[in-house]
Amino acid sequence: MINGGRPLISLEGVTKVYKTKAGPLEAIKGVDFQVGEGEFVAIVGPSGSGKSTLINMITGIDRPTSGEVFVAGERLTNMSENKVAKWRGRNVGVVFQFFQLLPTLTVLENVIMPMNYTGTYKGKRRQRAMEMLDLVKLTDVVDKYPSQISGGQQQRAAIARALVNNPSVLVGDEPTGNLDAESAARVFQLFGTLVQHGTTIVMVTHDRDLAGQIPRVVEVRDGQLVSESEVDHRLVAR
Ligand SMILES: Nc1ncnc2c1ncn2[C@@H]1O[C@H](COP(=O)(O)OP(=O)(O)O)[C@@H](O)[C@H]1O
Ligand SMILES: [Mg+2]
């Protein structure tokens, strides 16, 4: 049992209030959300509903105003920012809409980079990175720079980078949002393969076709989770 019997991810009574010039903005309004090990979950909902804020709680990129977050046996809400950053590097892979590869590093160097912070034996880093690049089918562009490859290839490189430390959770914030349909389908297919191999994935998506293929769809509306039986299926292709 991990987390004292909790599932892999557990958000308990989470709220998030941003301070803005116009006053406090309640982005998340008391969310309870659990994800079991090995689940593949899509998060859908209108723009501005709180999807990114919600998943930033799971990665520890942001922390709640109140409530508790547990991921893979850790209580994130009592860890220092430094400790959370270290923890994230080892345990969570994050993929964003705009890839965020470092432009001055080659594809291979980008994928090696997260291992520089986790003490992976130096002699193993290149080999491990190449394994991930093989998984995402990019071995032919490892020495190119991000600007020299397509958006779909950049996103696959970002996924290889997210996976290189063998995280227990992969979190995507609209990872296919900036891709053409064919590249999106490829990335999605890769996620399916990862889930088959035991990775837990939580992915925000606007793409109805993709969401419709994911076993569990959670909808965020105005900072709250809509009960799963009430998910608006117009948002989700069936
Ligand atoms: N850093 C921030 N400071 C102030 N308000 C924010 C911040 N991040 C998000 N918000 C606000 O919180 C709400 C939810 O945003 P977000 O989680 O990005 O929604 P989504 O990802 O569903 O589009 C929005 O009203 C947004 O403007
Ligand atoms: Mg967002």
Side-chain angles (χ1 to χ4, degrees):
M1 277 291 184
I2 53 168
N3 285 351
R6 287 187 176 85
L8 191 67
I9 298 169
S10 183
L11 274 60
E12 301 174 5
V14 165
T15 72
K16 179 70 188 182
V17 182
Y18 289 113
K19 288 181 192 132
T20 72
K21 280 182 187 151
L25 190 153
E26 220 181 335
I28 300 291
K29 301 174 178 170
V31 162
D32 294 298
F33 178 47
Q34 269 85 36
V35 178
E37 193 165 2
E39 270 199 286
F40 190 1
V41 186
I43 298 183
V44 299
S47 182
S49 58
K51 303 180 298 296
S52 294
T53 304
L54 187 69
I55 62 162
N56 287 346
M57 304 291 156
I58 297 172
T59 57
I61 287 172
D62 209 344
R63 58 174 70 228
T65 304
S66 64
E68 294 289 350
V69 179
F70 299 86
V71 182
E74 292 288 346
R75 182 181 173 197
L76 302 195
T77 26
N78 67 352
M79 284 162 71
S80 71
E81 241 171 74
N82 260 342
K83 212 176 155 209
V84 172
K86 271 200 185 139
W87 168 85
R88 181 168 54 248
R90 289 173 187 277
N91 294 283
V92 184
V94 193
V95 187
F96 299 99
Q97 183 174 358
F98 298 103
F99 329 135
Q100 302 192 357
L101 297 171
L102 292 177
T104 58
L105 299 183
T106 65
V107 167
L108 178 61
E109 288 164 349
N110 264 285
V111 176
I112 286 174
M113 206 199 45
M115 290 184 282
N116 296 340
Y117 302 98
T118 53
T120 308
Y121 173 57
K122 256 199 164 150
K124 287 270 182 223
R125 290 178 196 171
R126 192 191 152 86
Q127 185 198 336
R128 171 74 186 160
M130 287 302 292
E131 283 168 17
M132 292 302 106
L133 286 161
D134 187 36
L135 178 74
V136 300
K137 301 197 166 60
L138 282 183
T139 45
D140 49 335
V141 298
V142 295
D143 293 324
K144 294 210 188 279
Y145 289 89
S147 62
Q148 298 174 309
I149 60 177
S150 72
Q153 287 173 319
Q154 287 181 59
Q155 192 57 302
R156 276 160 33 226
I159 293 167
R161 181 182 58 179
L163 294 173
V164 80
N165 284 333
N166 195 24
S168 37
V169 186
L170 185 67
V171 175
D173 195 349
E174 303 193 30
T176 64
N178 206 32
L179 300 180
D180 60 84
E182 196 190 323
S183 304
R186 268 179 170 230
V187 164
F188 184 74
Q189 206 174 27
L190 175 63
F191 281 10
T193 308
L194 293 170
V195 169
Q196 277 170 16
H197 287 89
T199 307
T200 304
I201 300 185
V202 181
M203 169 176 138
V204 172
T205 182
H206 265 131
D207 189 320
R208 297 173 190 203
D209 291 336
L210 295 190
Q213 298 170 50
I214 298 177
R216 181 177 167 206
V217 180
V218 168
E219 185 182 343
V220 182
R221 237 185 265 164
D222 194 22
Q224 288 178 306
L225 286 193
V226 178
S227 116
E228 286 182 42
S229 57
E230 289 167 23
V231 168
D232 181 351
H233 287 287
R234 285 169 305 180
L235 290 171
V236 182
R238 286 282 147 177

